[in-house]
Amino acid sequence: MTAKYLLRFDDLCPTMNWDVWYAIEQILHDTGVKPILAVVPDNKDDALRCSEPNSHFWEHVRQWQSAGAAIGLHGFEHRYVTRDSGIIGLHERSEFAGLPPAEQNMKLTSAIEICRRENVTPSVWVAPAHSFDDNTVSLLARLRIKVISDGFFLFPHVDHLGVMWVPQQLWRFRMLPVGVWTVCFHHNSWTKKDLLLFREDLHRYRQSIVSLAQVMQAYGERRSRLLDAVVARSILASIHMKRRFFQEPR
């Protein structure tokens, strides 16, 4: 058994770094890779204002969707309003974790409505700062978004609500023996060197890169096991340890 890799790009919005993105898009097209693209429906985060707003943003999203990318719902406004680290326990900031269910429902339904108005169907939840809680998961299931891109286990699994959890454990490619590993990228600060490394990595790992659709087909019946919890705790502990010496994951 060999490891498989998914690609995920976060923070896609009208004011992202378009110069870098166009170069990434060409690399993805050339290699035939179909990533998860996490779209912020109504960005209010100044940190994501890297360019003038692209008035054709949603046209681009529709094109990505038509080309086979999985569109992720990356929160609503990408604004952190609590200090709750939620289920994942990675960051003490959140747009959702700790808020009353009614407030979370308002944010989620507003985000989905924006996407639907633009003829975009988000198929996977991508929480800003990896922070959300049990109420978020229940609401997502009710709103028919039944894939979550998060968690540090080895393999995807389906929970008691019928929600598939697809793990996201890496922020750069690493050669690994087994498991399904989502590599998460934040392209707004990329340099030419980062683009070159990305191109090289995609060619190096191309035979092991899969799409979300392929993962769902392969693991749609798998339930959570003790190994998942053990691996998740181990990876999270390792991340927290590395924070003391290196830049923390996003």
Side-chain angles (χ1 to χ4, degrees):
M1 185 181 295
T2 58
K4 298 298 181 183
Y5 299 88
L6 269 168
L7 272 64
R8 191 181 97 188
F9 285 89
D10 285 7
D11 303 339
L12 303 187
C13 65
T15 56
M16 67 183 184
N17 187 331
W18 285 94
D19 289 341
V20 169
W21 177 253
Y22 287 138
I24 292 171
E25 198 169 30
Q26 186 61 55
I27 296 170
L28 293 172
H29 178 269
D30 291 345
T31 55
V33 170
K34 301 184 188 305
I36 298 171
L37 301 181
V39 172
V40 184
D42 188 20
N43 179 53
K44 295 292 193 303
D45 186 350
D46 288 339
L48 304 187
R49 298 184 187 278
C50 305
S51 70
E52 290 300 313
N54 187 327
S55 60
H56 300 288
F57 173 70
W58 287 104
E59 181 180 340
H60 284 280
V61 179
R62 288 189 289 272
Q63 290 172 351
W64 304 334
Q65 181 175 259
S66 296
I71 303 302
L73 190 70
H74 196 30
F76 174 36
E77 298 176 330
H78 207 277
R79 289 196 302 178
Y80 304 120
V81 295
T82 78
R83 300 292 296 174
D84 195 322
S85 59
I87 297 170
I88 304 301
L90 185 60
H91 300 298
E92 293 182 350
R93 60 180 186 269
S94 184
E95 186 178 11
F96 287 86
L99 293 180
E103 188 171 350
Q104 292 199 44
N105 185 64
M106 180 277 293
K107 289 188 174 189
L108 290 171
T109 54
S110 296
I112 292 170
E113 179 56 34
I114 290 171
C115 293
R116 287 178 177 165
R117 188 175 67 219
E118 297 293 344
N119 293 318
V120 170
T121 304
S123 58
V124 53
W125 169 248
V126 180
H130 303 263
S131 184
F132 55 102
D133 59 22
D134 289 327
N135 288 322
T136 322
V137 178
S138 296
L139 289 165
L140 288 167
R142 196 178 307 162
L143 293 167
R144 299 183 180 180
I145 294 182
K146 292 198 171 185
V147 181
I148 292 174
S149 172
D150 226 324
F152 300 116
F153 26 87
L154 272 180
F155 296 100
H157 66 268
V158 178
D159 69 12
H160 66 287
L161 295 173
V163 174
M164 171 173 274
W165 291 68
V166 179
Q168 194 278 293
Q169 323 93 319
L170 298 177
W171 288 265
R172 63 181 176 84
F173 277 100
R174 293 180 182 176
M175 189 67 69
L176 295 161
V178 296
V180 175
W181 303 83
T182 301
V183 189
C184 179
F185 298 107
H186 298 82
H187 75 282
N188 281 329
S189 60
W190 276 19
T191 64
K192 290 182 179 179
K193 183 178 179 180
D194 294 316
L195 283 168
L196 178 60
L197 177 61
F198 178 67
R199 183 186 294 275
E200 292 173 348
D201 280 340
L202 255 60
H203 285 287
R204 183 179 300 116
Y205 288 87
R206 181 63 189 95
Q207 296 306 310
S208 298
I209 297 174
V210 294
S211 67
L212 179 61
Q214 290 173 307
V215 169
M216 292 175 66
Q217 183 176 17
Y219 294 94
E221 302 299 324
R222 183 180 182 274
R223 296 290 173 172
S224 180
R225 302 170 189 173
L226 178 60
L227 176 65
D228 295 313
V230 171
V231 171
R233 285 196 295 268
S234 176
I235 293 177
L236 181 61
S238 175
I239 289 172
H240 283 307
M241 181 66 70
K242 289 178 180 178
R243 279 183 177 181
R244 301 180 183 181
F245 307 103
F246 304 101
Q247 182 179 0
E248 64 177 308
R250 294 182 60 187

